[in-house]
Amino acid sequence: MPDNAIYYQVAYGAIIALFVGYAFSIRLRRQAIARKRRDAERAR
Amino acid sequence: MTSTPSARARAGIDWFALVAIVAMGAAFVRAIVFTPPDRLQGFAQKIFYVHLPSAWVAFLAFGLTAIAGGVWLFLKDPRLDRFAESSAEVGVIFTTGVLISGPLWGKPIWGAWWVWDARLTLTLFLWFLYLGYLVLRSAVDDREARARYSAVVGILGALLIPFIHLSVYIFRTQHPTPIVANPTGIQMPGVMITTLFLALGAFTLLYVALVRARMRLASERDALLDQAAAESTP
């Protein structure tokens, strides 16, 4: 059996990083919108 | 101590996302620890359990983007446009997963990170096409025009999906024919099939959780824009 575990380990790590990074980007964008809303309410 | 729904919403985590995270964890643990490596391909074959579910979700996401866009053209409901936008963005993320995991599987098995065969090339085009869809959306300010243009692009983009699926039959490709959606039945041992279906379920749950989160973002953005427009109107 070929010794090639590193490829699946890298693939799994990359997939997890991709999803976590994307979820984090949604969170950051929502926080930015909430900040803008607060600023707008404060300016009113 | 129990947290209220509003407290959970403020924290940015909902119950569906938690279920999806647990399912993804279970799928990864089963694939890594409890599923044996392939006799011929070795451990690299375990990439299958993230590669195929990513491709399935990408096709699902773009298919639903097209359907939502098509229905929007008749109903003009902004929720459909927000869903199409969210599903397309999540689909691009999953297609990115396909394009990362594919070469990592190809290198040890084919001896090449990438080959320009029909399946791989069309998948790359699909990725570019929906990246273009997202760029188009960000370039058009008028909400109705943006929804109309992107609905058309979303529908036309999804027409690539059947070609991608059938490309391994139509053309001579390096990429193998489907193992699951195969007319002769699933050609895998039971333990691997169980892991695959667990991963398919987990990735689908993750898709729903990410689309829900992305739709909340789109709703909050639109509400902010509506508020700004109302305040600027004399």
Side-chain angles (χ1 to χ4, degrees):
Chain A
M1 193 168 65
D3 178 23
N4 52 22
I6 186 69
Y7 290 97
Y8 100 83
Q9 289 162 353
V10 172
Y12 280 27
I15 290 279
I16 291 169
L18 179 71
F19 294 149
V20 170
Y22 179 63
F24 193 61
S25 87
I26 293 177
R27 191 184 172 91
L28 285 180
R29 284 181 282 173
R30 288 186 70 193
Q31 284 175 351
I33 289 170
R35 201 179 312 120
K36 280 182 190 168
R37 194 189 303 121
R38 277 198 304 273
D39 291 347
E41 282 167 5
R42 216 172 289 139
R44 223 178 288 142
Chain B
M1 196 175 72
T2 57
S3 59
T4 62
S6 60
R8 285 200 299 274
R10 273 198 302 276
I13 297 173
D14 65 9
W15 63 269
F16 203 99
L18 286 173
V19 171
I21 290 167
V22 170
M24 286 294 288
F28 273 95
V29 168
R30 183 172 165 93
I32 294 168
V33 182
F34 298 105
T35 308
D38 184 74
R39 190 168 50 86
L40 295 174
Q41 294 193 14
F43 283 93
Q45 183 269 342
K46 287 177 186 258
I47 293 173
F48 179 63
Y49 307 117
V50 296
H51 183 71
L52 185 116
S54 295
W56 148 249
V57 170
F59 291 169
L60 175 74
F62 295 144
L64 291 177
T65 297
I67 291 169
V71 178
W72 182 89
L73 290 172
F74 292 98
L75 300 181
K76 305 280 193 279
D77 186 331
R79 288 173 299 180
L80 287 166
D81 183 50
R82 284 198 287 268
F83 174 79
E85 168 192 7
S86 305
S87 187
E89 191 177 285
V90 174
V92 167
I93 295 299
F94 278 89
T95 310
T96 307
V98 175
L99 293 172
I100 290 171
S101 58
L104 282 164
W105 195 5
K107 180 63 179 170
I109 306 305
W110 297 343
W113 295 105
W114 184 266
V115 290
W116 292 100
D117 86 348
R119 170 65 71 92
L120 278 69
T121 307
L122 287 174
T123 305
L124 184 64
F125 284 0
L126 187 75
W127 187 71
F128 281 135
L129 218 153
Y130 279 93
L131 270 183
Y133 173 99
L134 297 175
V135 172
L136 170 74
R137 292 194 65 95
S138 64
V140 180
D141 286 332
D142 181 73
R143 219 178 281 179
E144 181 149 345
R146 182 176 63 202
R148 191 167 60 249
Y149 299 157
S150 53
V152 173
V153 174
I155 292 166
L156 293 175
L159 295 179
L160 259 183
I161 294 171
F163 284 103
I164 294 173
H165 178 70
L166 295 172
S167 59
V168 289
Y169 299 109
I170 299 170
F171 304 102
R172 188 180 298 174
T173 61
Q174 182 91 2
H175 195 285
T177 53
I179 291 172
V180 177
N182 191 309
T184 57
I186 302 176
Q187 299 158 348
M188 268 171 76
V191 64
M192 292 182 175
I193 294 171
T194 305
T195 305
L196 174 65
F197 278 96
L198 177 64
L200 283 168
F203 274 61
T204 307
L205 285 174
L206 183 67
Y207 160 76
V208 177
L210 288 173
V211 168
R212 278 163 56 102
R214 184 59 183 77
M215 280 187 75
R216 279 196 292 271
L217 166 66
S219 299
E220 289 163 4
R221 179 205 58 207
D222 287 353
L224 185 68
L225 291 172
D226 288 342
Q227 193 182 346
E231 284 171 4
S232 65
T233 306

